[in-house]
Amino acid sequence: MGQFLKARAKAGLTQDAVAERMGTTKSAVSRLESAGKHAPSLGTLKRYAEAVECELQVRLVPQR
């Protein structure tokens, strides 16, 4: 299960509830949660994180 699904499950929310909190559609949330070709913006990721009561962290980790 991906991070998006885990966060949504932990928050006890449906895709409909997340979509409502984000001000978007259930299909947009579904696309975001499916690890396909969709490349969401940082703004969209932040809105999703807030909707599922999480903090978005973007990190660059040095290669070894």
Side-chain angles (χ1 to χ4, degrees):
M1 184 182 293
Q3 284 187 320
F4 290 109
L5 296 177
K6 285 180 186 177
R8 181 167 58 81
K10 186 173 182 179
L13 298 169
T14 63
Q15 284 184 339
D16 284 320
V18 172
E20 185 175 327
R21 289 180 177 201
M22 290 178 67
T24 191
T25 63
K26 178 182 175 182
S27 61
V29 171
S30 179
R31 282 192 305 274
L32 184 60
E33 290 180 348
S34 68
K37 300 179 217 172
H38 182 67
S41 69
L42 285 176
T44 298
L45 293 174
K46 184 176 181 191
R47 286 195 344 261
Y48 185 92
E50 290 171 353
V52 296
E53 301 170 357
C54 289
E55 176 184 318
L56 177 65
Q57 294 183 354
V58 178
R59 299 178 355 168
L60 295 176
V61 180
Q63 296 179 352
R64 295 188 180 193

